[in-house]
PDB file of all heavy atoms in Angstrom:
ATOM      1  N   VAL A1187     -67.406 116.655 129.091  1.00  0.00           N
ATOM      2  CA  VAL A1187     -68.014 117.380 130.223  1.00  0.00           C
ATOM      3  C   VAL A1187     -68.015 118.887 129.960  1.00  0.00           C
ATOM      4  O   VAL A1187     -68.999 119.568 130.245  1.00  0.00           O
ATOM      5  CB  VAL A1187     -67.281 117.041 131.542  1.00  0.00           C
ATOM      6  CG1 VAL A1187     -67.698 117.981 132.654  1.00  0.00           C
ATOM      7  CG2 VAL A1187     -67.554 115.607 131.930  1.00  0.00           C
ATOM      8  N   ILE A1188     -66.936 119.420 129.416  1.00  0.00           N
ATOM      9  CA  ILE A1188     -66.860 120.850 129.112  1.00  0.00           C
ATOM     10  C   ILE A1188     -67.930 121.227 128.089  1.00  0.00           C
ATOM     11  O   ILE A1188     -68.643 122.203 128.259  1.00  0.00           O
ATOM     12  CB  ILE A1188     -65.450 121.247 128.623  1.00  0.00           C
ATOM     13  CG1 ILE A1188     -64.449 121.172 129.775  1.00  0.00           C
ATOM     14  CG2 ILE A1188     -65.453 122.615 127.980  1.00  0.00           C
ATOM     15  CD1 ILE A1188     -63.006 121.339 129.368  1.00  0.00           C
ATOM     16  N   ILE A1189     -68.057 120.440 127.019  1.00  0.00           N
ATOM     17  CA  ILE A1189     -69.065 120.714 126.008  1.00  0.00           C
ATOM     18  C   ILE A1189     -70.453 120.619 126.618  1.00  0.00           C
ATOM     19  O   ILE A1189     -71.327 121.448 126.332  1.00  0.00           O
ATOM     20  CB  ILE A1189     -68.892 119.752 124.812  1.00  0.00           C
ATOM     21  CG1 ILE A1189     -67.620 120.107 124.044  1.00  0.00           C
ATOM     22  CG2 ILE A1189     -70.104 119.829 123.884  1.00  0.00           C
ATOM     23  CD1 ILE A1189     -67.247 119.107 122.982  1.00  0.00           C
ATOM     24  N   TRP A1190     -70.670 119.602 127.431  1.00  0.00           N
ATOM     25  CA  TRP A1190     -71.976 119.425 128.092  1.00  0.00           C
ATOM     26  C   TRP A1190     -72.312 120.648 128.967  1.00  0.00           C
ATOM     27  O   TRP A1190     -73.450 121.141 128.940  1.00  0.00           O
ATOM     28  CB  TRP A1190     -71.923 118.170 128.944  1.00  0.00           C
ATOM     29  CG  TRP A1190     -73.263 117.752 129.480  1.00  0.00           C
ATOM     30  CD1 TRP A1190     -73.925 118.270 130.540  1.00  0.00           C
ATOM     31  CD2 TRP A1190     -74.110 116.737 128.926  1.00  0.00           C
ATOM     32  NE1 TRP A1190     -75.129 117.653 130.709  1.00  0.00           N
ATOM     33  CE2 TRP A1190     -75.266 116.694 129.724  1.00  0.00           C
ATOM     34  CE3 TRP A1190     -73.987 115.881 127.874  1.00  0.00           C
ATOM     35  CZ2 TRP A1190     -76.299 115.830 129.492  1.00  0.00           C
ATOM     36  CZ3 TRP A1190     -75.032 114.988 127.643  1.00  0.00           C
ATOM     37  CH2 TRP A1190     -76.163 114.995 128.450  1.00  0.00           C
ATOM     38  N   GLN A1191     -71.339 121.145 129.715  1.00  0.00           N
ATOM     39  CA  GLN A1191     -71.577 122.288 130.589  1.00  0.00           C
ATOM     40  C   GLN A1191     -71.837 123.568 129.781  1.00  0.00           C
ATOM     41  O   GLN A1191     -72.686 124.371 130.163  1.00  0.00           O
ATOM     42  CB  GLN A1191     -70.396 122.499 131.530  1.00  0.00           C
ATOM     43  CG  GLN A1191     -70.281 121.446 132.607  1.00  0.00           C
ATOM     44  CD  GLN A1191     -71.524 121.411 133.478  1.00  0.00           C
ATOM     45  OE1 GLN A1191     -72.067 122.412 133.869  1.00  0.00           O
ATOM     46  NE2 GLN A1191     -72.003 120.204 133.747  1.00  0.00           N
ATOM     47  N   PHE A1192     -71.119 123.765 128.692  1.00  0.00           N
ATOM     48  CA  PHE A1192     -71.400 124.902 127.825  1.00  0.00           C
ATOM     49  C   PHE A1192     -72.817 124.820 127.277  1.00  0.00           C
ATOM     50  O   PHE A1192     -73.529 125.825 127.209  1.00  0.00           O
ATOM     51  CB  PHE A1192     -70.401 125.001 126.679  1.00  0.00           C
ATOM     52  CG  PHE A1192     -69.125 125.701 127.065  1.00  0.00           C
ATOM     53  CD1 PHE A1192     -67.902 125.048 126.871  1.00  0.00           C
ATOM     54  CD2 PHE A1192     -69.114 126.965 127.580  1.00  0.00           C
ATOM     55  CE1 PHE A1192     -66.717 125.658 127.213  1.00  0.00           C
ATOM     56  CE2 PHE A1192     -67.942 127.605 127.939  1.00  0.00           C
ATOM     57  CZ  PHE A1192     -66.738 126.959 127.744  1.00  0.00           C
ATOM     58  N   GLY A1193     -73.247 123.630 126.894  1.00  0.00           N
ATOM     59  CA  GLY A1193     -74.610 123.449 126.388  1.00  0.00           C
ATOM     60  C   GLY A1193     -75.651 123.722 127.465  1.00  0.00           C
ATOM     61  O   GLY A1193     -76.654 124.388 127.204  1.00  0.00           O
ATOM     62  N   ALA A1194     -75.414 123.253 128.659  1.00  0.00           N
ATOM     63  CA  ALA A1194     -76.339 123.500 129.765  1.00  0.00           C
ATOM     64  C   ALA A1194     -76.400 124.998 130.083  1.00  0.00           C
ATOM     65  O   ALA A1194     -77.470 125.528 130.346  1.00  0.00           O
ATOM     66  CB  ALA A1194     -75.902 122.704 131.003  1.00  0.00           C
ATOM     67  N   ASN A1195     -75.262 125.657 130.059  1.00  0.00           N
ATOM     68  CA  ASN A1195     -75.214 127.083 130.319  1.00  0.00           C
ATOM     69  C   ASN A1195     -75.984 127.840 129.220  1.00  0.00           C
ATOM     70  O   ASN A1195     -76.763 128.766 129.520  1.00  0.00           O
ATOM     71  CB  ASN A1195     -73.769 127.551 130.362  1.00  0.00           C
ATOM     72  CG  ASN A1195     -73.642 128.976 130.866  1.00  0.00           C
ATOM     73  OD1 ASN A1195     -74.528 129.478 131.499  1.00  0.00           O
ATOM     74  ND2 ASN A1195     -72.520 129.590 130.537  1.00  0.00           N
ATOM     75  N   TRP A1196     -75.802 127.458 127.982  1.00  0.00           N
ATOM     76  CA  TRP A1196     -76.509 128.101 126.860  1.00  0.00           C
ATOM     77  C   TRP A1196     -78.020 127.882 126.990  1.00  0.00           C
ATOM     78  O   TRP A1196     -78.793 128.836 126.775  1.00  0.00           O
ATOM     79  CB  TRP A1196     -75.968 127.510 125.562  1.00  0.00           C
ATOM     80  CG  TRP A1196     -76.609 128.112 124.364  1.00  0.00           C
ATOM     81  CD1 TRP A1196     -76.385 129.353 123.807  1.00  0.00           C
ATOM     82  CD2 TRP A1196     -77.620 127.507 123.556  1.00  0.00           C
ATOM     83  NE1 TRP A1196     -77.165 129.521 122.722  1.00  0.00           N
ATOM     84  CE2 TRP A1196     -77.960 128.396 122.532  1.00  0.00           C
ATOM     85  CE3 TRP A1196     -78.262 126.272 123.594  1.00  0.00           C
ATOM     86  CZ2 TRP A1196     -78.910 128.127 121.581  1.00  0.00           C
ATOM     87  CZ3 TRP A1196     -79.220 125.973 122.647  1.00  0.00           C
ATOM     88  CH2 TRP A1196     -79.527 126.904 121.648  1.00  0.00           C
ATOM     89  N   ARG A1197     -78.428 126.675 127.346  1.00  0.00           N
ATOM     90  CA  ARG A1197     -79.854 126.411 127.504  1.00  0.00           C
ATOM     91  C   ARG A1197     -80.430 127.212 128.666  1.00  0.00           C
ATOM     92  O   ARG A1197     -81.540 127.730 128.584  1.00  0.00           O
ATOM     93  CB  ARG A1197     -80.094 124.916 127.738  1.00  0.00           C
ATOM     94  CG  ARG A1197     -79.948 124.070 126.489  1.00  0.00           C
ATOM     95  CD  ARG A1197     -80.372 122.640 126.715  1.00  0.00           C
ATOM     96  NE  ARG A1197     -79.641 121.943 127.776  1.00  0.00           N
ATOM     97  CZ  ARG A1197     -78.494 121.317 127.633  1.00  0.00           C
ATOM     98  NH1 ARG A1197     -77.912 121.268 126.447  1.00  0.00           N
ATOM     99  NH2 ARG A1197     -77.912 120.721 128.656  1.00  0.00           N
ATOM    100  N   ALA A1198     -79.693 127.329 129.742  1.00  0.00           N
ATOM    101  CA  ALA A1198     -80.173 128.105 130.901  1.00  0.00           C
ATOM    102  C   ALA A1198     -80.340 129.576 130.525  1.00  0.00           C
ATOM    103  O   ALA A1198     -81.328 130.208 130.905  1.00  0.00           O
ATOM    104  CB  ALA A1198     -79.209 127.963 132.064  1.00  0.00           C
ATOM    105  N   LYS A1199     -79.410 130.119 129.750  1.00  0.00           N
ATOM    106  CA  LYS A1199     -79.530 131.500 129.313  1.00  0.00           C
ATOM    107  C   LYS A1199     -80.748 131.687 128.401  1.00  0.00           C
ATOM    108  O   LYS A1199     -81.449 132.675 128.463  1.00  0.00           O
ATOM    109  CB  LYS A1199     -78.247 131.955 128.605  1.00  0.00           C
ATOM    110  CG  LYS A1199     -77.105 132.211 129.525  1.00  0.00           C
ATOM    111  CD  LYS A1199     -75.871 132.650 128.755  1.00  0.00           C
ATOM    112  CE  LYS A1199     -74.692 132.872 129.680  1.00  0.00           C
ATOM    113  NZ  LYS A1199     -73.478 133.279 128.948  1.00  0.00           N
ATOM    114  N   ALA A1200     -80.985 130.702 127.525  1.00  0.00           N
ATOM    115  CA  ALA A1200     -82.128 130.778 126.622  1.00  0.00           C
ATOM    116  C   ALA A1200     -83.434 130.738 127.409  1.00  0.00           C
ATOM    117  O   ALA A1200     -84.372 131.494 127.121  1.00  0.00           O
ATOM    118  CB  ALA A1200     -82.077 129.635 125.617  1.00  0.00           C
ATOM    119  N   VAL A1201     -83.512 129.887 128.411  1.00  0.00           N
ATOM    120  CA  VAL A1201     -84.710 129.803 129.236  1.00  0.00           C
ATOM    121  C   VAL A1201     -84.921 131.111 129.987  1.00  0.00           C
ATOM    122  O   VAL A1201     -86.046 131.620 130.093  1.00  0.00           O
ATOM    123  CB  VAL A1201     -84.611 128.605 130.238  1.00  0.00           C
ATOM    124  CG1 VAL A1201     -85.673 128.672 131.309  1.00  0.00           C
ATOM    125  CG2 VAL A1201     -84.696 127.292 129.469  1.00  0.00           C
ATOM    126  N   LEU A1202     -83.860 131.667 130.515  1.00  0.00           N
ATOM    127  CA  LEU A1202     -83.945 132.921 131.250  1.00  0.00           C
ATOM    128  C   LEU A1202     -84.417 134.059 130.338  1.00  0.00           C
ATOM    129  O   LEU A1202     -85.289 134.864 130.730  1.00  0.00           O
ATOM    130  CB  LEU A1202     -82.587 133.274 131.862  1.00  0.00           C
ATOM    131  CG  LEU A1202     -82.544 134.344 132.929  1.00  0.00           C
ATOM    132  CD1 LEU A1202     -83.422 133.950 134.101  1.00  0.00           C
ATOM    133  CD2 LEU A1202     -81.123 134.563 133.379  1.00  0.00           C
ATOM    134  N   ALA A1203     -83.900 134.108 129.127  1.00  0.00           N
ATOM    135  CA  ALA A1203     -84.322 135.153 128.178  1.00  0.00           C
ATOM    136  C   ALA A1203     -85.799 134.968 127.803  1.00  0.00           C
ATOM    137  O   ALA A1203     -86.546 135.943 127.707  1.00  0.00           O
ATOM    138  CB  ALA A1203     -83.464 135.093 126.929  1.00  0.00           C
ATOM    139  N   ARG A1204     -86.221 133.718 127.619  1.00  0.00           N
ATOM    140  CA  ARG A1204     -87.608 133.447 127.285  1.00  0.00           C
ATOM    141  C   ARG A1204     -88.518 133.835 128.437  1.00  0.00           C
ATOM    142  O   ARG A1204     -89.575 134.457 128.232  1.00  0.00           O
ATOM    143  CB  ARG A1204     -87.790 131.983 126.949  1.00  0.00           C
ATOM    144  CG  ARG A1204     -89.186 131.642 126.472  1.00  0.00           C
ATOM    145  CD  ARG A1204     -89.339 130.191 126.079  1.00  0.00           C
ATOM    146  NE  ARG A1204     -89.103 129.364 127.239  1.00  0.00           N
ATOM    147  CZ  ARG A1204     -88.509 128.180 127.196  1.00  0.00           C
ATOM    148  NH1 ARG A1204     -88.069 127.699 126.074  1.00  0.00           N
ATOM    149  NH2 ARG A1204     -88.358 127.477 128.297  1.00  0.00           N
ATOM    150  N   GLU A1205     -88.144 133.542 129.643  1.00  0.00           N
ATOM    151  CA  GLU A1205     -88.949 133.921 130.818  1.00  0.00           C
ATOM    152  C   GLU A1205     -89.027 135.441 130.945  1.00  0.00           C
ATOM    153  O   GLU A1205     -90.067 135.966 131.331  1.00  0.00           O
ATOM    154  CB  GLU A1205     -88.365 133.309 132.078  1.00  0.00           C
ATOM    155  CG  GLU A1205     -88.594 131.825 132.160  1.00  0.00           C
ATOM    156  CD  GLU A1205     -87.952 131.163 133.383  1.00  0.00           C
ATOM    157  OE1 GLU A1205     -87.297 131.887 134.164  1.00  0.00           O
ATOM    158  OE2 GLU A1205     -88.103 129.951 133.540  1.00  0.00           O
ATOM    159  N   GLU A1206     -87.934 136.131 130.638  1.00  0.00           N
ATOM    160  CA  GLU A1206     -87.942 137.589 130.692  1.00  0.00           C
ATOM    161  C   GLU A1206     -88.945 138.149 129.656  1.00  0.00           C
ATOM    162  O   GLU A1206     -89.684 139.083 129.935  1.00  0.00           O
ATOM    163  CB  GLU A1206     -86.545 138.146 130.416  1.00  0.00           C
ATOM    164  CG  GLU A1206     -86.440 139.630 130.440  1.00  0.00           C
ATOM    165  CD  GLU A1206     -86.663 140.251 131.827  1.00  0.00           C
ATOM    166  OE1 GLU A1206     -86.477 139.539 132.827  1.00  0.00           O
ATOM    167  OE2 GLU A1206     -87.027 141.426 131.870  1.00  0.00           O
ATOM    168  N   GLU A1207     -88.963 137.570 128.479  1.00  0.00           N
ATOM    169  CA  GLU A1207     -89.914 137.997 127.440  1.00  0.00           C
ATOM    170  C   GLU A1207     -91.347 137.728 127.874  1.00  0.00           C
ATOM    171  O   GLU A1207     -92.249 138.557 127.664  1.00  0.00           O
ATOM    172  CB  GLU A1207     -89.613 137.299 126.108  1.00  0.00           C
ATOM    173  CG  GLU A1207     -88.359 137.767 125.443  1.00  0.00           C
ATOM    174  CD  GLU A1207     -88.391 139.249 125.066  1.00  0.00           C
ATOM    175  OE1 GLU A1207     -89.445 139.717 124.575  1.00  0.00           O
ATOM    176  OE2 GLU A1207     -87.369 139.940 125.282  1.00  0.00           O
ATOM    177  N   TYR A1208     -91.579 136.568 128.490  1.00  0.00           N
ATOM    178  CA  TYR A1208     -92.916 136.260 129.011  1.00  0.00           C
ATOM    179  C   TYR A1208     -93.351 137.258 130.088  1.00  0.00           C
ATOM    180  O   TYR A1208     -94.496 137.685 130.121  1.00  0.00           O
ATOM    181  CB  TYR A1208     -92.990 134.829 129.556  1.00  0.00           C
ATOM    182  CG  TYR A1208     -93.018 133.756 128.516  1.00  0.00           C
ATOM    183  CD1 TYR A1208     -92.434 132.520 128.762  1.00  0.00           C
ATOM    184  CD2 TYR A1208     -93.635 133.929 127.282  1.00  0.00           C
ATOM    185  CE1 TYR A1208     -92.456 131.517 127.812  1.00  0.00           C
ATOM    186  CE2 TYR A1208     -93.674 132.943 126.336  1.00  0.00           C
ATOM    187  CZ  TYR A1208     -93.097 131.723 126.600  1.00  0.00           C
ATOM    188  OH  TYR A1208     -93.104 130.724 125.655  1.00  0.00           O
ATOM    189  N   ARG A1209     -92.398 137.634 130.924  1.00  0.00           N
ATOM    190  CA  ARG A1209     -92.708 138.594 131.987  1.00  0.00           C
ATOM    191  C   ARG A1209     -93.090 139.946 131.395  1.00  0.00           C
ATOM    192  O   ARG A1209     -94.071 140.560 131.806  1.00  0.00           O
ATOM    193  CB  ARG A1209     -91.523 138.749 132.930  1.00  0.00           C
ATOM    194  CG  ARG A1209     -91.815 139.629 134.154  1.00  0.00           C
ATOM    195  CD  ARG A1209     -90.587 139.881 134.993  1.00  0.00           C
ATOM    196  NE  ARG A1209     -89.553 140.608 134.285  1.00  0.00           N
ATOM    197  CZ  ARG A1209     -89.577 141.910 134.033  1.00  0.00           C
ATOM    198  NH1 ARG A1209     -90.581 142.641 134.433  1.00  0.00           N
ATOM    199  NH2 ARG A1209     -88.587 142.505 133.405  1.00  0.00           N
ATOM    200  N   LYS A1210     -92.334 140.386 130.384  1.00  0.00           N
ATOM    201  CA  LYS A1210     -92.652 141.645 129.736  1.00  0.00           C
ATOM    202  C   LYS A1210     -94.007 141.575 129.066  1.00  0.00           C
ATOM    203  O   LYS A1210     -94.798 142.536 129.156  1.00  0.00           O
ATOM    204  CB  LYS A1210     -91.590 141.988 128.702  1.00  0.00           C
ATOM    205  CG  LYS A1210     -90.281 142.427 129.283  1.00  0.00           C
ATOM    206  CD  LYS A1210     -89.258 142.707 128.193  1.00  0.00           C
ATOM    207  CE  LYS A1210     -87.901 143.085 128.780  1.00  0.00           C
ATOM    208  NZ  LYS A1210     -86.908 143.277 127.715  1.00  0.00           N
ATOM    209  N   LEU A1211     -94.291 140.476 128.425  1.00  0.00           N
ATOM    210  CA  LEU A1211     -95.611 140.288 127.761  1.00  0.00           C
ATOM    211  C   LEU A1211     -96.728 140.311 128.776  1.00  0.00           C
ATOM    212  O   LEU A1211     -97.783 140.934 128.553  1.00  0.00           O
ATOM    213  CB  LEU A1211     -95.611 138.992 126.975  1.00  0.00           C
ATOM    214  CG  LEU A1211     -96.890 138.664 126.188  1.00  0.00           C
ATOM    215  CD1 LEU A1211     -97.147 139.739 125.138  1.00  0.00           C
ATOM    216  CD2 LEU A1211     -96.765 137.297 125.534  1.00  0.00           C
ATOM    217  N   ALA A1212     -96.523 139.690 129.912  1.00  0.00           N
ATOM    218  CA  ALA A1212     -97.547 139.689 130.978  1.00  0.00           C
ATOM    219  C   ALA A1212     -97.765 141.098 131.511  1.00  0.00           C
ATOM    220  O   ALA A1212     -98.911 141.498 131.771  1.00  0.00           O
ATOM    221  CB  ALA A1212     -97.124 138.748 132.101  1.00  0.00           C
TER     222      ALA A1212
END
Side-chain angles (χ1 to χ4, degrees):
V1187 168
I1188 289 171
I1189 291 172
W1190 190 281
Q1191 289 301 316
F1192 276 124
N1195 190 20
W1196 180 76
R1197 286 188 302 274
K1199 285 180 182 179
V1201 167
L1202 195 60
R1204 185 178 63 216
E1205 287 177 358
E1206 180 68 22
E1207 289 297 319
Y1208 285 148
R1209 186 186 62 76
K1210 287 178 183 178
L1211 182 61

